Amino acid sequence: MIVAERRHLSEILKNIEPYNKVLILGCRGCVAICSTGGDREVEIIATALRIARKRQGKPLITYEATLIRQCDPEYLANLPELMKDAEAVVSLACGVGVNLIADLYPDIRVYPGVDTLFFGANTQLGVWQEKCRGCGDCIIDLTAGLCPIARCPKNLLNGPCGGSQNGKCEINPENPCIWHLIIERLTARGELDKLNEIWEPKDWRTYLGESPRKRIREDLIKNNKREG
Ligand code: SF4
Ligand code: SF4
């Protein structure tokens, strides 16, 4: 999932300072699962903003709604209706949702209510850990499913840096050295020869080049045209 965390209330308050009526818009996708932007958080943030503004002597009216997803135009279709009495939106979706609203509705003033962090997994209650960086050219078939791009702070591709101590990363000893784990796991499987080949430098164009990246499925576009 995309992992996000709530912005400091003072930043949200600063953005909505000119407005008296604001829609707090949650998302039931990733941000709901990481307890940052679902129904419950919409209610909490709306209440916190109203209290803070009352203290400032400038009461705020909030409207609350949560969409199935904010990263899909289909679910944003009734946003203008939700906005009919509001002057601005505080979106609790990840940056994708905020960008899509800004693209589709140029007249709507939309402000982020969360900071978008990384692609991660919920490894225990209250803990999310980065597992993938969306590099666009996956190599974890060769590394026993463990990603050195996202999980080695130096993004090393041809084995460990040599600084790990007792299997822990030298940059942050709270974390395992991911290359230590990769080698341990491949050894146990009898697949260490997967690392015999020296990898060429990674082609980072699939990650950083030709930004913003786009994925096109011609078959879906054609089917859609035929059905339409
Ligand atoms: S190699 Fe790239 S796509 Fe695969 S898990 Fe790592 S960052 Fe994600
Ligand atoms: S100790 Fe391991 S995980 Fe940490 S930087 Fe070195 S190779 Fe990467």
Side-chain angles (χ1 to χ4, degrees):
M1 80 187 82
I2 294 175
V3 180
E5 67 183 3
R6 199 176 98 183
R7 296 200 100 185
H8 199 280
L9 205 64
S10 62
E11 291 178 284
I12 304 175
L13 281 166
K14 196 171 154 199
N15 284 329
I16 61 167
E17 206 272 329
Y19 312 116
N20 299 317
K21 298 174 180 179
V22 169
L23 171 68
I24 313 300
L25 190 63
C27 174
R28 295 205 176 112
C30 305
V31 288
I33 299 166
C34 67
S35 305
T36 309
D39 293 88
R40 190 166 160 267
E41 290 77 26
V42 166
E43 204 183 318
I44 292 169
I45 290 173
T47 306
L49 289 172
R50 285 196 308 273
I51 291 170
R53 283 283 291 262
K54 200 171 172 191
R55 285 196 188 125
Q56 292 172 351
K58 199 178 172 206
L60 179 73
I61 295 172
T62 56
Y63 305 95
E64 299 171 23
T66 307
L67 303 180
I68 290 175
R69 287 197 297 275
Q70 288 188 38
C71 55
D72 188 329
E74 184 184 340
Y75 300 110
L76 287 170
N78 70 341
L79 184 58
E81 173 63 19
L82 293 171
M83 283 296 296
K84 67 181 184 332
D85 296 315
E87 299 159 280
V89 188
V90 171
S91 165
L92 303 190
C94 71
V96 179
V98 180
N99 269 270
L100 188 59
I101 292 174
D103 284 342
L104 297 177
Y105 303 104
D107 294 335
I108 291 180
R109 291 172 168 82
V110 57
Y111 300 98
V114 307
D115 288 316
T116 305
L117 301 175
F118 51 77
F119 303 155
N122 191 188
T123 51
Q124 64 184 78
L125 189 64
V127 178
W128 289 267
Q129 289 184 325
E130 186 172 20
K131 300 291 183 194
C132 170
R133 210 159 274 178
C135 76
D137 181 18
C138 198
I139 54 160
I140 60 176
D141 46 337
L142 301 170
T143 57
L146 302 166
C147 177
I149 309 287
R151 301 174 67 184
C152 167
K154 297 177 188 170
N155 311 133
L156 294 182
L157 282 183
N158 281 296
C161 64
S164 65
Q165 300 270 340
N166 303 318
K168 300 291 183 190
C169 174
E170 71 163 355
I171 304 292
N172 183 353
E174 270 185 23
N175 295 328
C177 164
I178 200 65
W179 271 108
H180 181 93
L181 290 185
I182 291 168
I183 289 166
E184 260 191 347
R185 198 164 295 182
L186 288 175
T187 304
R189 292 178 184 178
E191 295 177 358
L192 199 57
D193 58 339
K194 284 192 169 177
L195 301 182
N196 282 350
E197 193 184 324
I198 305 288
W199 293 339
E200 294 290 315
K202 191 169 167 62
D203 182 354
W204 289 103
R205 282 175 300 182
T206 53
Y207 178 51
L208 298 168
E210 296 173 21
S211 178
R213 292 180 282 175
K214 193 192 257 185
R215 179 179 175 237
I216 298 175
R217 280 272 308 267
E218 295 290 355
D219 56 329
L220 294 179
I221 296 170
K222 272 183 204 149
N223 283 348
N224 194 34
K225 275 188 190 151
R226 247 182 256 132
E227 283 163 17

